[in-house]
């Protein structure tokens, strides 16, 4: 489909964008006294399924489902839709491997998916029918499953699957004609690499671990990042400052939650120009990602309220909104 | 039929065909955007309909020039053309609205799409949203004037 084939869809998205939560809405939510008030405010705004009041999880799940249905209805290119679903797909794979190897069932941990939901993933793994998976997942699935069976090392399994996910996203992103998608994938891979490096530094992981976990991408030299993260925090901060990630370095100095916030805000910065785009699939992708960011932020606020976090501590964790 | 007459009719045909083609494209693409807005917010129907119609004027301008031309060359009135040079004059006189009508309708259609998006997000900005595609209209009107002046002054 050409850019002009998305005119109808983009016009619908423009109307939908009016219902997205703004920074002011989020600020209001953070200032509320408890999770119930937050939920009531959202339900008044049309969140959740009015026929069922199943609590925060049901409301957030209903919103995620609504977004998914809208994007499907707008006939987004299936290849693009698949690419956006990669993280969920690989998450389901990890969860499936762990469920089989630990015999602990947790159906709620899976993302719903028509082709690769809980039942399908479990069947594929049990039958070792890796050919039923998308090509980019097969090798990682086989390796991670056998490592988990042999060593019961969940972290190693995670590293294999997460790295495969980043590699697959990077490869698929490079083939995309749409600039937003290319930028989104590049930004996601780079930010995830930085996140991995930070966590590895804080848990004292080796250089070998970092080399295995970090996925190459064009905006960051992962070999240098791995070396810096295997040394000390100053080396990592120095690397970030000299390689175009000064804000990440400042956020890291501030606090771990400020760093997590920076990671998500960077993604929002990537998609924000789509607000001015009236054709192409860009605004649809941006809306989908903005909704995910919105749901994630609301989840953070609800969790903070349920656990009695102060307003200040909650505010530090909330993400910037798209509108 | 003389060669001069063939050129004159070609000019008349092009002014309607090209300007009409541009308008059809512009109104069509703006209509898709308008449908997208109305499917989510039916209250905006009147506003987006006006924005959709703006690229349609070029087709009308082309038609007007065609009528004037046909009225001068012996089809709907006037003297039949026998001179090749005179036929070529009619052809060139029709080209401004034919070409500028096509191009301006295309751009006005795209501007209308953008402004329909603006109205979708901020319905109270409709007045400003109307001005942007209307600016493109200026050049269609200029070419219409040139074509009319030229066609009516061929002796």
């Amino acid at each position: 489909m050409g850019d002009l084939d998305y005119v109808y869809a983009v016009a619908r998205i423009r109307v939908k964008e009016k219902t997205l939560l703004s920074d002011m809405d989020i600020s209001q939510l953070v200032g509320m006294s408890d999770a119930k008030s937050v939920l009531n405010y959202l339900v008044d705004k049309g969140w959740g399924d009015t026929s069922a009041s199943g609590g925060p999880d049901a409301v957030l799940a209903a919103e995620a489902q609504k977004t998914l249905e809208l994007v499907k209805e707008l006939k987004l290119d299936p290849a693009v839709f698949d690419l956006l679903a990669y993280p969920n797909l690989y998450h389901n794979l990890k969860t499936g491997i762990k469920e089989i190897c630990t015999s602990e069932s947790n159906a709620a941990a899976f993302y719903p998916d028509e082709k690769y939901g809980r039942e399908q993933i479990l069947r594929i793994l049990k039958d070792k029918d890796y050919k039923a998976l998308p090509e980019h997942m097969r090798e990682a699935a086989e390796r991670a499953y056998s490592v988990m069976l042999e060593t019961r090392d969940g972290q190693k399994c995670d590293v294999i699957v997460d790295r495969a996910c980043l590699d697959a996203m990077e490869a698929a992103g490079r083939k995309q004609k749409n600039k937003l998608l290319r930028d989104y994938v590049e930004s996601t891979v780079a930010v995830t690499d930085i996140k991995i490096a930070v966590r590895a530094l804080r848990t004292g992981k080796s250089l070998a671990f970092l080399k295995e976990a970090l996925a190459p991408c064009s905006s960051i030299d992962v070999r240098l990042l791995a070396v810096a993260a295997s040394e000390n925090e100053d080396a990592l901060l120095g690397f970030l400052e000299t390689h175009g990630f000064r804000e990440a370095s400042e956020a890291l100095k501030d606090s771990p939650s400020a760093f997590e916030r920076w990671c998500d805000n960077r993604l929002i910065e990537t998609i924000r120009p789509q607000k001015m785009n009236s054709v192409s699939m860009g605004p649809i992708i941006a809306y989908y990602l903005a909704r995910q960011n919105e749901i994630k932020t609301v989840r953070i606020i609800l969790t903070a309220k349920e656990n009695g976090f102060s307003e200040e501590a909650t505010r530090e964790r909330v993400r910037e909104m798209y509108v | 039929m003389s060669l001069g007459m063939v050129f004159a009719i070609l000019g008349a045909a092009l002014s309607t065909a090209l300007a009409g083609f541009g308008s059809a494209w512009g109104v069509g693409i703006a209509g898709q955007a308008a449908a997208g807005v109305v499917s989510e917010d039916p209250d905006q129907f009147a506003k987006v309909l006006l924005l959709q119609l703006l690229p349609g004027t070029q087709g009308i301008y082309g038609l007007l020039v065609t009528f004037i031309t046909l009225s001068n060359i012996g089809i709907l009135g006037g003297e039949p053309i026998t001179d090749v040079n005179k036929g070529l004059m009619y052809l060139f006189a029709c080209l401004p609205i034919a070409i500028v009508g096509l191009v301006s309708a295309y751009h006005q259609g795209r501007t209308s799409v953008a402004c329909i998006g603006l109205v979708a997000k901020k319905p109270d900005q409709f007045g400003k949203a109307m001005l942007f595609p209307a600016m493109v209209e200026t050049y269609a009107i200029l070419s219409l004037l040139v074509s009319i002046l030229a066609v009516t002054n061929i002796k």
Side-chain angles (χ1 to χ4, degrees), chain A residues 60-74:
Chain A
L60 298 183
E63 285 309 297
Q65 191 58 30
K66 276 186 211 170
T67 312
L68 207 63
E69 279 166 15
L70 175 70
V71 174
K72 277 184 183 169
E73 201 182 313
L74 295 177

Side-chain angles (χ1 to χ4, degrees), chain B residues 52-112:
Chain B
Q52 186 204 352
L53 290 176
L54 283 175
T57 50
Q58 284 83 344
I60 300 168
Y61 300 160
L63 182 71
L64 180 62
V65 170
T66 300
F67 273 130
I68 297 171
T69 308
L70 294 179
S71 302
N72 285 345
I73 61 170
I75 302 286
L76 297 176
E79 292 293 314
I81 296 174
T82 50
D83 182 12
V84 175
N85 289 343
K86 201 169 178 185
L88 280 171
M89 281 186 209
Y90 276 108
L91 172 60
F92 284 111
C94 289
L95 285 184
I97 189 58
I99 296 169
V100 179
L102 170 69
V103 176
S104 66
Y106 171 83
H107 287 289
Q108 200 169 26
R110 292 196 69 148
T111 314
S112 286

Side-chain angles (χ1 to χ4, degrees), chain A residues 178-224:
Chain A
N178 185 280
K179 187 179 178 303
L180 171 69
L181 259 186
R182 288 198 306 271
D183 291 349
Y184 158 71
V185 168
E186 181 58 34
S187 184
T188 303
V189 176
V191 166
T192 310
D193 277 340
I194 296 172
K195 265 188 199 176
I196 293 169
V198 169
R199 286 174 194 162
L201 174 75
R202 291 196 169 144
T203 51
K205 297 288 178 199
S206 66
L207 181 61
F209 171 89
L210 280 157
K211 279 182 177 169
E212 191 179 358
L214 299 179
C217 63
S218 56
S219 59
I220 201 161
D221 186 335
V222 288
R223 285 176 304 117
L224 293 178

Side-chain angles (χ1 to χ4, degrees), chain A residues 95 99 104-110 118:
Chain A
T95 315
E99 181 166 328
E104 282 175 23
S105 175
N106 186 7
F110 286 84
R118 180 174 176 266

Side-chain angles (χ1 to χ4, degrees), chain A residues 303-319:
Chain A
T303 310
K305 296 287 169 200
E306 280 163 1
N307 291 289
F309 279 39
S310 69
E311 196 177 315
E312 198 184 335
T314 313
R315 211 170 283 284
E316 192 189 69
R317 285 163 173 80
V318 297
R319 276 61 172 152

Side-chain angles (χ1 to χ4, degrees), chain A residues 44-276:
Chain A
D44 286 345
K45 275 202 153 245
W47 277 50
D49 183 355
T50 47
S51 64
S53 51
D57 285 341
V59 168
L60 298 183
E63 285 309 297
Q65 191 58 30
K66 276 186 211 170
T67 312
L68 207 63
E69 279 166 15
L70 175 70
V71 174
K72 277 184 183 169
E73 201 182 313
L74 295 177
K75 304 269 187 289
L76 193 63
D77 183 348
V80 173
F81 199 74
D82 286 348
L83 174 55
L84 293 173
Y86 276 11
N88 293 0
L89 212 60
Y90 280 86
H91 168 86
N92 281 359
L93 176 63
K94 270 193 300 193
T95 315
I97 292 172
K98 286 175 187 167
E99 181 166 328
I100 292 174
C101 296
T102 60
S103 305
E104 282 175 23
S105 175
N106 186 7
F110 286 84
Y111 286 107
D113 191 284
E114 284 168 16
K115 282 201 297 194
Y116 304 106
R118 180 174 176 266
E119 277 82 48
Q120 295 91 330
I121 288 283
L122 292 180
R123 185 202 63 76
I124 289 167
L125 291 170
K126 281 175 185 165
D127 298 349
K128 298 196 173 172
D129 179 20
Y130 302 114
K131 281 188 179 168
L133 290 168
E135 203 177 339
H136 55 83
M137 281 181 92
R138 290 174 195 165
E139 197 192 324
E142 191 172 356
R143 225 176 101 214
Y145 189 38
S146 67
V147 163
M148 189 68 183
L149 281 174
E150 285 163 21
T151 65
R152 304 273 157 184
D153 185 346
Q155 195 181 47
K156 197 158 189 183
C157 167
D158 285 353
V159 168
I160 294 168
V161 177
D162 289 343
R163 168 70 192 272
C165 177
L166 292 176
D167 285 341
M169 283 183 79
E170 208 271 334
R174 251 187 292 119
K175 288 180 200 156
Q176 288 298 327
K177 287 180 190 162
N178 185 280
K179 187 179 178 303
L180 171 69
L181 259 186
R182 288 198 306 271
D183 291 349
Y184 158 71
V185 168
E186 181 58 34
S187 184
T188 303
V189 176
V191 166
T192 310
D193 277 340
I194 296 172
K195 265 188 199 176
I196 293 169
V198 169
R199 286 174 194 162
L201 174 75
R202 291 196 169 144
T203 51
K205 297 288 178 199
S206 66
L207 181 61
F209 171 89
L210 280 157
K211 279 182 177 169
E212 191 179 358
L214 299 179
C217 63
S218 56
S219 59
I220 201 161
D221 186 335
V222 288
R223 285 176 304 117
L224 293 178
L225 175 64
V227 171
S230 66
E231 287 174 6
N232 54 45
E233 187 153 345
D234 285 342
L236 179 60
L237 293 176
F239 171 86
L240 293 175
E241 275 173 27
T242 53
H243 286 78
F245 297 95
R246 181 177 293 275
E247 287 175 3
S249 164
E250 279 162 15
L252 261 174
K253 284 178 200 162
D254 200 10
S255 70
S257 53
F259 172 68
E260 292 289 331
R261 188 174 186 269
W262 170 83
C263 294
D264 288 337
N265 288 351
R266 191 179 154 94
L267 171 67
I268 292 299
E269 288 307 317
T270 308
I271 64 173
R272 196 159 272 153
Q274 296 307 315
K275 284 201 288 187
M276 269 78 80

